[in-house]
Amino acid sequence: MNSPTPASFAPTTGLPGLDAVLQGVERGDNIVWQIQTLDEYLALVAPYAESARRQRRRLIYFRFAAHAPLLPDDGHVEIHYPQPGDGFDAFVDQVHSVIEEAGTETLYVFDCLSDLAEAWQSDRMMGNFFRLTCPRLFDLYTVTYFSIYRNTHAWEAMEMITDTTQFLLDVFRCRGRHYIRPIKVQHRSAAAMNLMHVWESGDTFRAVADSGTVSEVLAGSQWPGLEDTPSVGHWQRQFSAVRAVIAKRQAGDPEPALEARWFESLSRRVFPDDPQMARLIREYLTIDDVLLVRDRMIGIGSIGGKALGMLLARAILHRDAPELQARLEAHDSFYVGSVVFESFLVQNGVWWIRRRQRDPSGFLQQLDEARERIMNGVFPESTIRQFEGMLDYFGEWPFIVRSSSRLEDRYGNAFAGQYESVFCVNQGPREKRLADLLDAVRQVYASTLGEQALRYRERRGLLGEDEQMGLLIMRVSGTAGTRYFHPHAAGVGLSVNPYPWNPRIDMHAGVVRLVAGLGTRAVDRADDDYTRLIALNAPNLRPETRFGAIARYAQRRMDALDLHDNRVVSGLFAEYVRGQPDFPMALFTTREDAGRPAFLTFDGLVERTPFVDDLRMILERLHAAYRHAVEIEFALNFLPDGSYRINVLQCRPMQVRDLGGGSAGEPPEQAPRLITAQGAVIGPSRVIRPDRIVYVVPGSFGALAQDDRLAVTRLVGRINRESAGRCVLMLGPGRWGTRDPSLGLPVSFSEINHVDALCEIVAMHDNLVPDVSLGTHFINELIESDMLYFALFPKRPENGIDERTLLDLPNRLTELVPDAGKWAQVVHVADVAPGEVTLYADAEAQRIVVTTGS
């Protein structure tokens, strides 16, 4: 920091002798006193406050600690009471709002900072607060007193404070006298740091020159000794205490009440603070589980919702489905605590940018700057050492760095697909593997400030929430030994099936979306291929009925990790599994006839193994424990003896109301039909009365070049924004949310979020069938927003649209978007009177009828 401009007042400690030792106090100085007892700080605060009173300077005292007050409330000092218990972000806001209002040349006293570490159970968060606050006080030409207990905090936190402050001074008390030893004196002569000074009568300070006095003072200072980590933090001390309690239990002297208190305390710090998840934590996890998490944790803080969901799912199945234990794969995951994320943002100058994104009027500002700072950000050496230890544990086995934020995978908001997850193929020299890991972590961190995630939070009123990012680092399931690494299969399971395509399907029996290879094709909408849907009560029923259609719409491409090229790849299934003798071809593939290659059906897996029963049991047990529909991600691997292991990777509540509830009613027999659709309806039965219909004309859209299709997609987003507050039915050709404009409209969800019912018209491409993408992130957003989805198949019976009637309605496109006239033949926006158009959705019968007429 550079020194502020010349002062308009003369700052002082109130002790001229001490001013002389320090070679003067300047505007902008932050003075941190390292103390052993609060009395040592009190002795220095009193003359400082008295000098402020004499000079009639504004003095603000931040009172937040449990210790006795430092200054009386006598009218000469302005006292503010920020609340550490409200959380780090709120506390920073409370302090900084006072600082900004007070402006320049104000004097400050803070309670002992060590109480913040106690309140947040994190020395580093205390250091983060100082790193955010000290520079602002410097910029405002203030003088500020802080104190901190000596030999109490982890060195990383003390390093942050030492690097940021202008003064760091030790205070000792010996034989009734106070001694001052400068540790850091910025922009002053180095001679000021050479000697200890004793405070004699009045305000006289004298250098201590004799070794005997210095030795006596320091010998009584409770110096911690020459340990590798001389001062452990609050977390380390608490977990050490818990281990002592567990050791007593193992020795036959249990203290269950004490264990319960420790579990309640530590689980609140390790797991996200969601009241509904807290019930599951109390019911299924123990203090031993918390200790196991701590043993595999990088940094401190919360491990986030995704990691918690994975741990809970495994604990639930261990207790409630013991018969499955032999077929469940163990996990050896690592967790990166949320404090690592918070500290990374503070250290790399991103914290204030993120903080400003809570403002709905400007939450998308500075995103490029924030991403650049994150992607070029550095980590503390202590964190790097822990990452290196994790790499040594994994060796060169692939792993994935997954987001696991405070708000993810909880009841109410899933955040499905909003944040990144990054595969690390983890091949090559250790230095390269470490660099790849750090880049993956940065990429996940950067996604928290991405437009997609921020718009998701805005839609759900979560911009003001304190979002903290933990990480879940998981070994990738699979079998090593060949170039392409992947699990044999992976997928998504839903305990409630929102798409019962056949009357024999029980919606409450669940459904699985299965792919060969990495599960990326099950959770992301892959537009170049198909997946296998398995209704768990009727696994042989398919959306396709003819064998030719089954073969045509079978999966042909798969995702894998290329161990030679160190990257994620996508290619032909037959090519990737060639040379893999362990791959269960007989269970996964079917041959139409002897002269044709086999294709993926998973028929043998369904018919000749207990896989379907196992998945149904897993989903039933988790649904019962959550008391709510759930969604899981899993991987599947077969062993040489023919047995298999299911790896439960993730579990979260499905963000959907009762899919079997509601009633569509019956459309009037004589009412004109504007639309009829049969075969793919997702969402509860209901009646909708749209007052706006947005129709992307299939024939016109299909004739456009790719760039024009993208322009029309963006136009749809503008119409969506202009339709807030309306009841909107939107229809368009091909797939909504596709990545490929040749297959439909590549909208982001924010471009259709005001829509009540969304229809995919399967009319763009002869080979396009509605892969309804159950369990994918796009469909998740539709379900989570309670948006009705249906597909219309113009070439099938009981499917049709009266396009002429629809296009005869006045087109209001240019009234809503004046510069969109060139697209009037492609996009038709019709407003109708209330009750003139009615949509009847029958989810059980998989039928949609839209009628006209009041």
Side-chain angles (χ1 to χ4, degrees):
M1 295 179 186
N2 297 320
S3 295
T5 55
S8 58
F9 77 102
T12 175
T13 63
L15 297 167
L18 183 56
D19 291 345
V21 170
L22 302 179
Q23 299 185 0
V25 177
E26 298 180 1
R27 295 158 70 243
D29 281 341
N30 292 272
I31 303 174
V32 179
W33 302 97
Q34 282 203 124
I35 60 175
Q36 193 162 316
T37 68
L38 194 67
D39 288 344
E40 296 162 357
Y41 188 35
L42 277 167
L44 295 157
V45 165
Y48 172 69
E50 176 59 23
S51 70
R53 186 188 65 78
R54 289 197 307 268
Q55 294 186 55
R56 298 185 179 179
R57 305 301 309 177
R58 185 175 182 184
L59 176 64
I60 292 177
Y61 170 32
F62 284 113
R63 175 82 177 114
F64 52 80
H67 61 61
L70 302 172
L71 294 169
D73 188 1
D74 59 3
H76 296 298
V77 62
E78 185 179 322
I79 305 179
H80 292 270
Y81 297 89
Q83 299 297 312
D86 292 344
F88 177 81
D89 280 19
F91 185 83
V92 172
D93 285 347
Q94 292 161 18
V95 170
H96 280 255
S97 63
V98 174
I99 291 171
E100 296 304 323
E101 182 279 328
T104 59
E105 298 186 345
T106 304
L107 305 181
Y108 292 93
V109 172
F110 280 73
D111 272 347
C112 183
L113 294 178
S114 296
D115 274 53
L116 295 179
E118 184 69 36
W120 297 327
Q121 292 297 294
S122 169
D123 296 325
R124 183 164 287 178
M125 293 307 286
M126 175 193 68
N128 286 339
F129 169 74
F130 190 82
R131 180 172 275 174
L132 291 172
T133 304
C134 172
R136 187 55 183 150
L137 293 169
F138 179 89
D139 290 342
L140 292 171
Y141 310 139
T142 73
V143 176
T144 305
Y145 269 30
F146 300 93
S147 68
I148 191 164
Y149 287 120
R150 184 170 45 250
N151 302 330
T152 300
H153 303 287
W155 71 267
E156 295 95 335
M158 291 308 305
E159 185 178 43
M160 294 168 72
I161 291 173
T162 304
D163 287 348
T164 310
T165 191
Q166 285 73 51
F167 285 100
L168 180 62
L169 307 164
D170 259 333
V171 187
F172 305 100
R173 186 170 177 84
C174 181
R175 295 181 181 270
R177 288 176 147 185
H178 286 91
Y179 293 80
I180 308 294
R181 180 177 65 171
I183 297 173
K184 178 184 180 183
V185 183
Q186 191 173 40
H187 305 306
R188 274 58 162 196
S189 166
M193 300 176 64
N194 289 341
L195 292 175
M196 183 183 294
H197 290 73
V198 60
W199 184 0
E200 297 188 325
S201 59
D203 61 8
T204 300
F205 283 77
R206 175 180 57 81
V208 178
D210 65 287
S211 61
T213 302
V214 172
S215 300
E216 183 180 10
V217 170
L218 294 181
S221 67
Q222 297 182 0
W223 182 60
L226 290 173
E227 297 292 334
D228 290 337
T229 54
S231 295
V232 297
H234 283 73
W235 274 56
Q236 292 93 324
R237 286 195 292 273
Q238 293 210 7
F239 276 94
S240 295
V242 171
R243 293 183 199 284
V245 175
I246 300 302
K248 290 188 68 177
R249 183 224 299 162
Q250 293 170 341
D253 184 20
E255 296 184 76
L258 184 56
E259 282 193 35
R261 288 197 296 273
W262 273 119
F263 175 72
E264 188 70 21
S265 172
L266 295 182
S267 63
R268 286 199 307 268
R269 305 188 187 285
V270 171
F271 304 129
D273 55 344
D274 179 19
Q276 296 185 80
M277 299 299 284
R279 174 188 63 82
L280 289 166
I281 291 169
R282 288 192 298 270
E283 189 171 349
Y284 287 97
L285 299 181
T286 69
I287 191 65
D288 300 275
D289 296 313
V290 178
L291 287 174
L292 287 173
V293 169
R294 179 61 187 141
D295 287 341
R296 307 187 70 84
M297 196 168 180
I298 294 168
I300 62 173
S302 170
I303 64 172
K306 190 174 291 181
L308 172 60
M310 182 270 293
L311 290 170
L312 280 172
R314 291 170 176 276
I316 291 165
L317 295 174
H318 180 76
R319 196 190 80 177
D320 296 349
E323 60 269 50
L324 288 178
Q325 291 311 300
R327 289 199 287 275
L328 293 180
E329 185 173 319
H331 83 100
D332 56 353
S333 305
F334 286 82
Y335 317 91
V336 181
S338 59
V339 171
V340 176
F341 170 67
E342 297 278 357
S343 300
F344 179 85
L345 296 186
V346 172
Q347 182 174 356
N348 293 288
V350 186
W351 197 90
W352 287 114
I353 297 177
R354 187 187 69 142
R355 184 63 191 83
R356 286 191 288 273
Q357 287 169 338
R358 293 186 174 190
D359 181 358
S361 65
F363 70 98
L364 296 180
Q365 295 176 2
Q366 295 182 277
L367 296 189
D368 290 341
E369 178 185 353
R371 180 173 181 82
E372 182 178 359
R373 290 189 182 186
I374 290 174
M375 295 309 295
N376 292 303
V378 297
F379 293 86
E381 281 301 316
S382 58
T383 303
I384 297 290
R385 288 196 298 271
Q386 289 186 294
F387 278 137
E388 289 173 336
M390 184 193 74
L391 285 178
D392 291 342
Y393 174 87
F394 278 137
E396 293 192 45
W397 194 278
F399 58 84
I400 181 171
V401 180
R402 309 190 73 186
S403 68
S404 182
S405 83
R406 171 178 174 261
L407 298 178
E408 275 188 282
D409 287 8
R410 62 198 299 174
Y411 289 86
N413 296 286
F415 278 78
Q418 303 307 314
Y419 300 135
E420 295 281 353
S421 290
V422 182
F423 283 102
C424 288
V425 185
N426 194 33
Q427 305 293 296
R430 189 171 184 254
E431 295 77 13
K432 173 65 165 59
R433 293 187 289 119
L434 176 63
D436 290 345
L437 165 61
L438 297 182
D439 280 345
V441 172
R442 293 184 187 103
Q443 190 172 333
V444 178
Y445 283 175
S447 69
T448 65
L449 281 79
E451 180 176 351
Q452 174 179 302
L454 289 169
R455 286 196 181 279
Y456 179 96
R457 291 176 61 187
E458 181 206 22
R459 290 195 299 272
R460 285 154 181 79
L462 298 173
L463 281 178
E465 286 281 335
D466 178 19
E467 175 66 311
Q468 303 167 8
M469 180 58 72
L471 300 174
L472 172 61
I473 302 180
M474 307 184 79
R475 182 189 298 274
V476 179
S477 281
T479 303
T482 62
R483 174 172 180 171
Y484 298 109
F485 182 92
H486 54 84
H488 291 140
V492 175
L494 285 67
S495 67
V496 172
N497 183 356
Y499 175 37
W501 58 86
N502 185 294
R504 291 167 52 195
I505 292 173
D506 178 1
M507 296 177 71
H508 298 283
V511 63
V512 166
R513 176 178 166 86
L514 191 66
V515 297
L518 295 175
T520 42
R521 288 180 171 264
V523 298
D524 291 320
R525 191 162 194 174
D527 298 311
D528 60 353
D529 208 3
Y530 306 97
T531 62
R532 172 73 194 269
L533 286 182
I534 303 173
L536 294 179
N537 77 302
N540 291 312
L541 291 177
R542 296 172 174 269
E544 314 87 14
T545 55
R546 295 178 296 105
F547 188 82
I550 292 172
R552 182 179 182 181
Y553 302 130
Q555 178 187 355
R556 283 176 170 76
R557 300 179 64 83
M558 66 180 281
D559 294 347
L561 302 179
D562 187 333
L563 302 185
H564 288 188
D565 291 346
N566 212 30
R567 63 192 181 99
V568 181
V569 293
S570 180
L572 292 175
F573 161 75
E575 181 179 311
Y576 282 2
V577 300
R578 187 180 298 124
Q580 294 188 21
D582 67 309
F583 195 88
M585 296 289 289
L587 294 175
F588 281 26
T589 63
T590 301
R591 194 178 299 276
E592 191 171 357
D593 58 53
R596 295 192 178 186
F599 57 92
L600 278 163
T601 61
F602 301 100
D603 284 350
L605 176 70
V606 169
E607 296 168 2
R608 302 198 298 274
T609 78
F611 169 76
V612 169
D613 292 336
D614 289 349
L615 261 293
R616 186 169 182 178
M617 180 181 293
I618 287 171
L619 291 167
E620 284 178 348
R621 299 293 194 273
L622 295 174
H623 187 130
Y626 271 77
R627 304 174 190 171
H628 195 283
V630 297
E631 174 186 349
I632 66 168
E633 293 179 20
F634 64 90
L636 175 69
N637 288 288
F638 277 79
L639 304 180
D641 64 3
S643 64
Y644 60 78
R645 297 289 182 273
I646 297 170
N647 192 356
V648 179
L649 306 172
Q650 184 173 353
C651 178
R652 61 177 166 228
M654 283 180 67
Q655 312 305 318
V656 59
R657 59 190 173 99
D658 185 3
L659 289 165
S663 172
E666 287 295 328
E669 286 289 335
Q670 304 305 316
R673 265 50 171 176
L674 183 65
I675 298 168
T676 55
Q678 179 79 44
V681 178
I682 295 180
S685 300
R686 68 190 83 178
V687 176
I688 297 173
R689 293 182 172 83
D691 55 27
R692 174 167 291 171
I693 302 174
V694 181
Y695 179 46
V696 182
V697 183
S700 300
F701 184 81
L704 297 177
Q706 179 164 309
D707 288 348
D708 288 340
R709 291 181 180 181
L710 292 172
V712 169
T713 301
R714 302 291 84 81
L715 173 60
V716 167
R718 295 171 68 185
I719 296 168
N720 171 69
R721 289 191 290 274
E722 294 295 328
S723 300
R726 306 294 296 260
C727 184
V728 180
L729 167 61
M730 188 173 283
L731 308 98
R735 293 181 179 176
W736 292 95
T738 178
R739 296 175 182 174
D740 184 351
S742 69
L743 297 179
L745 287 96
V747 292
S748 64
F749 189 79
S750 64
E751 292 175 305
I752 56 170
N753 64 306
H754 295 303
V755 172
D756 294 86
L758 184 71
C759 174
E760 294 188 349
I761 303 173
V762 186
M764 279 188 62
H765 196 295
D766 287 343
N767 292 329
L768 183 65
V769 298
D771 180 359
V772 294
S773 305
L774 290 182
T776 65
H777 298 145
F778 186 80
I779 292 295
N780 255 309
E781 288 235 56
L782 267 64
I783 294 174
E784 186 172 305
S785 299
D786 199 25
M787 186 186 301
L788 180 73
Y789 159 92
F790 64 100
L792 188 153
F793 309 88
K795 296 182 180 180
R796 292 187 187 177
E798 299 186 65
N799 283 263
I801 180 168
D802 185 350
E803 185 176 78
R804 176 46 47 207
T805 297
L806 186 53
L807 294 179
D808 281 345
L809 296 170
N811 190 352
R812 295 198 58 227
L813 175 65
T814 54
E815 296 177 47
L816 296 177
V817 186
D819 61 354
K822 66 179 291 188
W823 307 116
Q825 301 303 310
V826 182
V827 180
H828 196 88
V829 182
D831 286 351
V832 296
E836 185 176 339
V837 173
T838 306
L839 183 154
Y840 300 86
D842 188 334
E844 192 167 343
Q846 290 289 285
R847 183 176 66 245
I848 297 285
V849 176
V850 181
T851 64
T852 60
S854 302

